[in-house]
Amino acid sequence: MKKAQLSLPLLWSGMLLLILLTGLFSLSVGEYEIPFVHILAAISQELGLPFGAEQPVRPEELAVLWHIRMPRTLVGLMVGGSLGISGAVMQGIFSNPLADPGILGVSSGAAVGAVAAIAGGCTAVSLYTLPFCAFLGAVLSVGITVALSMRHGRVPVMTLLLSGVVVGMLLAAVTAAILTVVNEQKLQQYLFWTIGGLDYRRWEHVTLGIIPISVGVFFLLFMARHLNVLVLGEVEARAVGMPVTTYRLLLLLAAAMTTAAGVSISGNIGFVGLVVPHAMRFLTGPDHRRLLPASVVAGGIFLVFCDTLGRVIVPGVEVRVGIMTAFIGTPYFLYLLRRSRNTFDTD
């Protein structure tokens, strides 16, 4: 079946419209409703623009908008974008649409760092302690995975994949061992983190994640052309003079660090890096110079939409975004699995 690739102007016009509508929706709905016109007026007044000066924006609306929903929405855009582009890179490197950003043990490492910080009582010291420990755990897990898969200066893709699975299982066991000795309050704190959520995110979380995520995203966008060559195969890449191992490691580490930066401030959120890149590939085609930026924007839109939907789908109850992405992503994952199986059976 031919893929419905969109022209660049149509694609980006549609995504720009979607991100504006999703952002306004996220800022508006919740237990305390804020009309769209009041949101636009508040933003306009904050930026010193003349629009909306006649709109009476109440102080409580400003408080909810600037101190609760605006940082929450921005964190959602950053984390979703980091997971979207990282998933696209992983799928390209492994030549597998079922690959996701956690394939190298990033999520398991972040979980170990988070549970260690919670068990040690470090989270009471500073707001930054838990994200920092989660990021550190993710970085260490990726380092262990790459070190285990390195053979004579080369990193075979299959060995890297298997090493990631083994390291992830080991770190999951370490996490379970720590959880057996913590009290109920700390266990609940870890449970809320591991489900993944954007609630209670503040401007400190925005400032904590914006630099590493931005650096990682821009580096991966810069490497899109090299990723196109790697996808052709190792033999073809070496034929054009590309140092395959070097570029593969750079892309893997950059994608893993970008994922780690996002996961550290939001908790483990699944399916974004799996669903979004594959869906965008139908619209942009396989060229990563188009696919990667589209995955960044679509990942942010998808995560913010899921978070907003979780606030309104059950009246009086907030369903965390990690649960919403799982509910939406699981059927799509099964669809991908079925397609892959059918393709394999017919080959």
Side-chain angles (χ1 to χ4, degrees):
M1 183 176 65
K2 187 176 180 181
K3 296 178 181 179
Q5 297 181 17
L6 299 179
S7 64
L8 283 179
L10 180 60
L11 175 67
W12 287 109
S13 298
M15 296 189 81
L16 179 61
L17 178 61
L18 277 176
I19 201 169
L20 289 175
L21 292 176
T22 305
L24 283 174
F25 185 47
S26 174
L27 295 174
S28 174
V29 302
E31 291 187 13
Y32 188 91
E33 299 282 343
I34 303 178
F36 284 175
V37 291
H38 288 191
I39 295 172
L40 296 175
I43 295 175
S44 177
Q45 292 170 18
E46 185 71 18
L47 297 176
L49 301 177
F51 170 78
E54 70 282 356
Q55 289 292 338
V57 183
R58 296 190 296 271
E60 56 269 26
E61 290 180 330
L62 289 174
V64 171
L65 180 64
W66 291 115
H67 299 295
I68 298 177
R69 292 187 186 162
M70 185 65 76
R72 179 174 185 159
T73 301
L74 292 176
V75 168
L77 291 173
M78 292 192 307
V79 174
S82 69
L83 295 176
I85 192 172
S86 300
V89 170
M90 293 294 184
Q91 291 174 10
I93 291 177
F94 289 99
S95 300
N96 189 338
L98 301 180
D100 74 344
I103 201 169
L104 299 182
V106 176
S107 299
S108 300
V112 171
V115 74
I118 293 171
C122 302
T123 55
V125 176
S126 171
L127 180 66
Y128 298 106
T129 305
L130 180 59
F132 176 78
C133 291
F135 180 80
L136 185 61
V139 171
L140 290 176
S141 69
V142 173
I144 294 171
T145 301
V146 173
L148 289 175
S149 59
M150 185 77 71
R151 292 292 182 272
H152 307 293
R154 299 179 62 183
V155 183
V157 172
M158 186 55 65
T159 306
L160 184 68
L161 178 61
L162 294 175
S163 298
V165 172
V166 172
V167 170
M169 293 175 63
L170 174 63
L171 294 178
V174 172
T175 301
I178 298 175
L179 289 175
T180 58
V181 298
V182 300
N183 58 40
E184 185 176 349
Q185 182 181 2
K186 292 180 178 179
L187 183 63
Q188 186 178 29
Q189 185 180 356
Y190 171 76
L191 177 62
F192 274 96
W193 182 88
T194 194
I195 292 174
L198 303 179
D199 47 333
Y200 303 112
R201 294 307 179 264
R202 292 156 44 180
W203 286 106
E204 289 86 349
H205 294 96
V206 177
T207 57
L208 185 64
I210 190 169
I211 293 179
I213 290 176
S214 298
V215 171
V217 166
F218 281 114
F219 179 80
L220 292 174
L221 291 176
F222 176 76
M223 297 288 288
R225 182 172 60 87
H226 302 87
L227 182 57
N228 281 340
V229 178
L230 282 177
V231 170
L232 297 176
E234 188 168 336
V235 175
E236 289 79 1
R238 293 187 186 279
V240 299
M242 173 178 285
V244 174
T245 300
T246 300
Y247 279 99
R248 182 179 290 161
L249 279 177
L250 282 174
L251 284 164
L252 284 171
L253 292 176
M257 296 306 100
T258 306
T259 302
V263 169
S264 66
I265 60 176
S266 68
N268 287 328
I269 298 177
F271 292 100
V272 179
L274 173 66
V275 172
V276 170
H278 195 271
M280 287 298 101
R281 196 173 285 109
F282 279 97
L283 301 178
T284 67
D287 188 348
H288 289 88
R289 291 174 296 181
R290 294 171 49 139
L291 176 61
L292 295 190
S295 297
V296 174
V297 179
I301 293 173
F302 177 69
L303 191 60
V304 172
F305 173 77
C306 288
D307 178 57
T308 309
L309 189 62
R311 279 185 265 157
V312 299
I313 193 170
V314 180
V317 178
E318 180 173 325
V319 182
R320 292 173 68 85
V321 67
I323 300 174
M324 293 302 303
T325 57
F327 276 134
I328 296 174
T330 299
Y332 194 78
F333 177 80
L334 295 175
Y335 162 73
L336 290 181
L337 195 62
R338 184 176 179 85
R339 277 197 51 168
S340 299
R341 186 181 63 183
N342 292 339
T343 302
F344 180 78
D345 290 342
T346 56
D347 286 345

